[in-house]
Amino acid sequence: MASAPFLTLPELELPQSAGSITVSAPSNIALVKYWGKSKGQIPKNASISFTLSHCLTRTTLSYTPLILSKGVAAPEFDVFVDGKSKPEFAPKIFTFFERITPYMPWVSSFQWRIDTKNTFPHGSGIASSASGFAALAGALMHLEASWSRQPIDQELWTDKTSFLARLGSGSAARSVIGPLMYWGQHPALSQSSDLYARALSQNIDPIFLDYKDTILLVDQGEKEVSSTVGHNLMHDHPFATQRFEQAQDNLARLLDILSGGDLDEFCALVETEALTLHAMMMTSNPSYVLMKPNTLAIIDKVRKFRRTANVPLCFTLDAGANVHLLYPANFAQQIMPWIQQELSPLCQGGQFIEDQVGQGLKKL
Ligand code: PMV
């Protein structure tokens, strides 16, 4: 078991009757990407992300105390998405429960029902694992805090929530608070850890605090290669060492950019990170391409528009074909009509999502 102050098990008074809790957690978009991990969801490099505010998972977690004599060894649960039973999600959630049990042994004392709903369209290519596992971890932590005999310190609470979320999906560690989160050890961030993410709280130019992220839904199909497979392909990747070093350097540079507010530098760095992530996929063995022709068409248009209209607009990509457009809120009036006219025809069904930087988990 990893050692950290928040992993000391609190003394709890468990309820004798059934109950529930509802929380929402947002997705996040990495500026410096996490791609490649060691056993136990330990990242190979540090990453940093904007926490979003509109792409959310809302989860109601209901519990019924199990009769002790039943003597279950593992947590029992049912999963529902939009009110429909989804047994296909059970293996991933089972693994999550197994991984968190050493840090929350009480989870096996209950029968669980997980009801989730995403605000973004299902199969839109927006990863629901980050928001989904952050919501689940947050719900469990709210329960633990409410049953604890001693009050739980806020910082310990967020560290442990992020730690648990990480065990479901690495990037979920960065969906707990906002507006910017860093995760993974880095010499420039004395509080950084591979075990959990923390909010970047100092030296951020205010321009980044209400940044826009317009998500262009280029391809709403299932991803052809999962993130798990992608991360694993970094193990024998010919450029892995250089990539991990580059990410650490880029993170250090990004910290300067975030405090100095140089938007040209920001655009250059964020786009390099996005294309490097996809370059890793395109040069792994086996290689694969997640971008679609319209992804490239959009990238081309973004770069031309930035030059001709002189706007600080840039793109980033997740592990998929959709394009995230990042720009300061005070440019929205100029940029939105252009997105409507020029880019929405390149999206499936003309669809895009208007999101922006946000604050993370909420208890509802
Ligand atoms: O959280 P995972 O294991 O699905 O990894 C996703 C990693 C990227 O979204 C591609 C990049 C990142 O840092 O979020």
Side-chain angles (χ1 to χ4, degrees):
M1 195 189 284
S3 70
F6 61 86
L7 294 178
T8 308
L9 299 178
E11 238 186 85
L12 303 180
E13 189 168 345
L14 295 182
Q16 302 301 310
S17 54
S20 71
I21 178 155
T22 302
V23 302
S24 73
S27 189
N28 68 76
I29 182 69
L31 304 172
V32 171
K33 309 289 181 182
Y34 146 64
W35 199 241
K37 62 179 172 183
S38 318
K39 201 169 175 288
Q41 312 269 80
I42 299 299
K44 290 282 191 185
N45 61 262
S47 59
I48 194 160
S49 54
F50 277 141
T51 305
L52 297 180
S53 54
H54 298 148
C55 287
L56 297 170
T57 297
R58 185 190 155 116
T59 296
T60 298
L61 185 61
S62 312
Y63 54 88
T64 309
L66 287 167
I67 305 153
L68 287 177
S69 61
K70 211 171 154 193
V72 291
E76 294 188 353
F77 61 87
D78 296 304
V79 192
F80 295 82
V81 178
D82 296 327
K84 292 196 192 85
S85 172
K86 289 279 173 187
E88 63 269 35
F89 291 157
K92 225 177 160 189
I93 295 176
F94 185 81
T95 303
F96 171 72
F97 270 112
E98 259 188 343
R99 287 180 182 163
I100 67 164
T101 299
Y103 313 104
M104 280 188 159
W106 51 268
V107 289
S108 17
S109 305
F110 296 91
Q111 166 76 39
W112 300 98
R113 178 185 160 114
I114 304 162
D115 276 286
T116 83
K117 206 174 170 43
N118 294 324
T119 56
F120 42 94
H122 179 65
S124 61
I126 298 176
S128 55
S129 57
S131 53
F133 281 110
L136 195 49
L140 289 164
M141 277 303 292
H142 275 298
L143 294 180
E144 181 166 280
S146 67
W147 300 335
S148 171
R149 290 183 202 272
Q150 304 90 29
I152 296 183
D153 171 81
Q154 184 60 31
E155 191 168 272
L156 291 194
W157 193 93
T158 49
D159 285 352
K160 185 167 176 181
T161 307
S162 173
F163 173 90
L164 297 172
R166 185 195 103 244
L167 296 175
S169 164
S171 55
R174 299 188 314 241
S175 273
V176 176
I177 28 177
L180 282 139
M181 289 204 88
Y182 60 91
W183 167 45
Q185 263 188 357
H186 193 284
L189 292 160
S190 60
Q191 304 286 308
S192 59
S193 166
D194 285 343
L195 301 179
Y196 52 84
R198 280 209 164 162
L200 192 67
S201 51
Q202 277 164 9
N203 300 329
I204 309 173
D205 187 295
I207 195 137
F208 295 110
L209 300 181
D210 59 353
Y211 234 66
K212 296 280 183 192
D213 179 4
T214 302
I215 308 165
L216 304 172
L217 304 179
V218 173
D219 185 67
Q220 306 191 32
E222 270 291 301
K223 265 194 289 189
E224 280 146 43
V225 182
S226 72
S227 286
T228 310
V229 171
H231 281 290
N232 283 339
L233 287 172
M234 288 305 285
H235 287 311
D236 299 311
H237 198 290
F239 306 137
T241 311
Q242 295 93 321
R243 163 58 196 155
F244 302 141
E245 280 171 14
Q246 178 208 34
Q248 295 294 87
D249 291 349
N250 279 347
L251 196 140
R253 275 184 53 211
L254 182 61
L255 293 176
D256 287 342
I257 294 170
L258 290 173
S259 61
D262 186 329
L263 297 183
D264 291 339
E265 286 272 323
F266 179 79
C267 290
L269 186 142
V270 164
E271 292 188 356
T272 298
E273 273 293 314
L275 293 178
T276 305
L277 169 70
H278 283 256
M280 290 300 111
M281 300 170 190
M282 289 159 73
T283 51
S284 61
N285 184 16
S287 60
Y288 61 106
V289 183
L290 294 182
M291 289 186 284
K292 297 287 179 197
N294 281 354
T295 312
L296 293 177
I298 290 168
I299 289 175
D300 194 44
K301 277 180 180 276
V302 167
R303 289 185 157 178
K304 284 196 180 117
F305 184 61
R306 181 165 66 228
R307 267 199 312 274
T308 54
N310 196 24
V311 284
L313 165 73
C314 64
F315 69 85
T316 188
L317 305 164
D318 235 326
N322 294 335
V323 184
H324 290 244
L325 296 180
L326 303 178
Y327 51 95
N330 59 347
F331 279 86
Q333 271 202 332
Q334 189 182 353
I335 291 173
M336 268 319 286
W338 175 78
I339 293 176
Q340 290 273 12
Q341 195 171 332
E342 293 289 324
L343 302 187
S344 123
L346 297 169
C347 301
Q348 245 183 23
Q351 275 187 295
F352 57 86
I353 298 173
E354 292 181 59
D355 212 330
Q356 63 188 49
V357 167
Q359 296 304 324
L361 259 169
K362 284 195 185 95
K363 186 172 160 203
L364 302 174

